[in-house]
């Protein structure tokens, strides 16, 4: 390596370390100043075309840096020991929001690995479900396979407790992380989410299309639900429907929204007259 490039890498690293430290500091302020907000992205039933629920997405609009993605700041919040506080806020807000929706709509909540290392998360979820007086089966927790790796027995205990409450468990980003098919056998999983990577290329790559088909088939065989994320075109939507995929999510179906218009949603979700029944 040239000396010049070595120096460049070092200063780049230093900058990165400094930025990370600053962001960690800013995260504390963000909590106090309420700089976080939630957005909700719809799930669609591919057989009926109706909305079945929404995924909760955490957003941080940094006053100087602008929007920072959770994939960037959540690991920093974990390191700074702030993820429990932030995560609890997300759970509380998301469940309270869902309580305002029509009863047939679910809410799904992403949780991070650190949150899952304690059993406390199930008590928090239970408390918020009781407070909001909503049916537990309207609440879904999204976990990723990388979370399972650290301590599968502990994760299993927590998942079993959540399942015991009636909460649904969804395996996010399926097929791209540390996929081990044994997770589907050993853990109480209600549905898998086909990673956007496969969906986005399902119409252009034979391999991706076959992979999507195989994952749908796998879910059918195991009798669990399946949803494809990252649907951006009508062709992808049609293909998924043809393949028998149960639900889909993505920009073509709906962008994450900060505010949901309940009246519109009720109209679009229920056939006219269905409410009276
Ligand atoms: O890891 P997870 O699958 O929870 O991440 C969801 C992220 O993907 C969100 O930030 C959301 O805004 C984004 N997203 C959702 N649907 C689409 C899509 O159709 N295309 C792209 N590019 N991103 C999407
Ligand atoms: Mn997710």
């Amino acid at each position: 390596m040239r000396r010049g490039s070595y120096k460049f890498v070092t200063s780049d690293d230093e900058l990165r370390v400094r930025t990370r430290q600053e962001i960690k500091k800013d995260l504390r302020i963000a909590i106090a100043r309420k700089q976080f907000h939630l957005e909700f992205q719809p799930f669609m039933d591919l057989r009926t075309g109706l909305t079945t629920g929404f995924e909760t997405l955490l957003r941080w609009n940094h006053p100087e840096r602008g929007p920072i993605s959770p994939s960037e700041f959540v690991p920093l919040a974990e390191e700074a020991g702030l993820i429990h506080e932030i995560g609890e806020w997300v759970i509380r807000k998301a469940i309270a929001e869902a309580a305002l929706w029509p009863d047939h709509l679910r809410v799904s909540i992403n949780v991070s690995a650190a949150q899952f290392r304690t059993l406390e998360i199930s008590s928090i979820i239970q408390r918020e479900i009781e407070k909001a007086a909503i049916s537990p089966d309207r609440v879904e927790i999204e976990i990723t396979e990388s979370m399972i790796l650290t301590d599968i027995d502990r994760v299993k205990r927590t998942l079993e407790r959540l399942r015991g409450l009636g909460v649904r468990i969804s395996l996010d980003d399926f097929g791209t992380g540390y996929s081990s098919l044994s997770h589907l056998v050993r853990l109480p999983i209600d549905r898998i989410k086909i990673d956007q990577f496969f969906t986005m290329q399902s119409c252009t790559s034979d391999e991706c299309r076959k992979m999507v088909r195989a994952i749908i088939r796998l879910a059918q065989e195991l009798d669990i639900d399946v949803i494809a994320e990252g649907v951006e075109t009508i062709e992808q939507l049609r293909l998924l429907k043809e393949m028998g995929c149960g639900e889909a999510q993505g920009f073509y179906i709906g962008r994450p929204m900060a505010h949901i218009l309940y009246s519109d949603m009720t109209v679009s979700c229920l056939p006219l007259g269905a409410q009276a029944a």
Side-chain angles (χ1 to χ4, degrees):
M1 188 188 284
R2 286 185 295 117
R3 277 166 74 188
S5 64
Y6 173 73
K7 196 166 160 230
F8 177 74
V9 168
T10 306
S11 63
D12 211 30
D13 277 354
E14 274 169 13
L15 182 68
R16 204 170 301 136
V17 169
R18 216 177 314 135
T19 308
R20 287 166 64 92
Q21 294 306 343
E22 280 173 14
I23 292 180
K24 278 194 212 173
K25 241 183 20 223
D26 292 347
L27 274 168
R28 276 177 212 282
I29 302 170
I31 297 173
R33 301 207 182 141
K34 302 187 175 19
Q35 290 169 1
F36 295 110
H37 75 274
L38 298 182
E39 289 185 356
F40 298 92
Q41 189 181 25
F43 303 134
M44 180 202 256
D45 183 321
L46 287 174
R47 283 166 298 251
T48 61
L50 302 180
T51 302
T52 55
F54 296 84
E55 175 175 5
T56 308
L57 298 163
L58 176 60
R59 297 290 184 242
W60 180 22
N61 209 347
H62 190 285
E64 283 109 43
R65 296 177 195 272
I68 303 182
S69 148
S71 59
E72 263 181 77
F73 73 77
V74 166
L76 298 177
E78 288 189 338
E79 281 175 31
L82 297 169
I83 195 62
H84 294 283
E85 200 175 334
I86 298 172
E88 193 170 336
W89 180 84
V90 173
I91 293 167
R92 191 171 64 241
K93 286 285 184 188
I95 293 179
E97 184 77 21
L100 303 171
W101 303 342
D103 281 349
H104 63 286
L105 296 173
R106 297 192 312 263
V107 64
S108 81
I109 304 170
N110 294 286
V111 293
S112 85
Q115 277 178 285
F116 236 74
R117 248 167 252 140
T118 72
L119 269 179
E120 211 195 325
I121 187 153
S122 48
S123 315
I124 294 170
I125 292 170
Q126 180 173 23
R127 187 189 66 210
E128 296 307 323
I129 286 176
E130 283 168 5
K131 241 168 60 189
I134 75 168
S135 168
D137 62 4
R138 291 181 58 201
V139 177
E140 185 173 88
I141 297 302
E142 296 197 11
I143 61 165
T144 60
E145 288 176 289
S146 52
M147 289 172 45
I148 303 168
L149 286 183
T150 43
D151 186 349
I152 186 157
D153 291 324
R154 193 188 290 255
V155 169
K156 190 170 175 203
R157 276 201 301 278
T158 308
L159 290 180
E160 278 166 356
R161 256 181 81 168
L162 285 169
R163 243 300 182 73
L165 298 175
V167 169
R168 289 164 48 97
I169 317 290
S170 167
L171 191 53
D172 206 359
D173 305 332
F174 187 77
T176 51
Y178 302 86
S179 297
S180 160
L181 295 179
S182 73
H183 293 153
L184 294 178
V185 177
R186 293 167 69 188
L187 299 171
I189 305 285
D190 296 287
R191 75 160 161 182
I192 46 185
K193 296 190 82 173
I194 301 175
D195 194 273
Q196 338 190 333
F197 173 85
F198 298 114
T199 312
M200 285 173 179
Q201 299 179 75
S202 58
C203 291
T204 48
S205 145
D206 277 352
E207 286 80 9
C208 285
R209 186 170 53 251
K210 285 176 186 165
M211 195 58 84
V212 170
R213 199 190 302 276
I215 298 174
I216 294 168
R217 185 73 200 275
L218 178 70
Q220 287 167 344
E221 289 292 331
L222 293 172
D223 206 17
I224 56 182
D225 291 337
V226 59
I227 176 166
E229 52 180 29
V231 176
E232 293 190 339
T233 68
I234 180 94
E235 290 78 19
Q236 291 164 357
L237 193 76
R238 283 206 190 104
L239 184 66
L240 288 163
K241 196 173 150 80
E242 253 170 54
M243 288 178 174
C245 188
E247 293 190 20
Q249 180 186 14
F251 291 171
Y252 184 79
I253 294 160
R255 298 225 163 218
M257 298 173 275
H259 300 286
I260 291 164
L261 301 171
Y262 310 113
S263 53
D264 284 359
M265 190 170 62
T266 309
V267 170
S268 70
C269 293
L270 294 175
L272 280 179
Q275 280 177 90

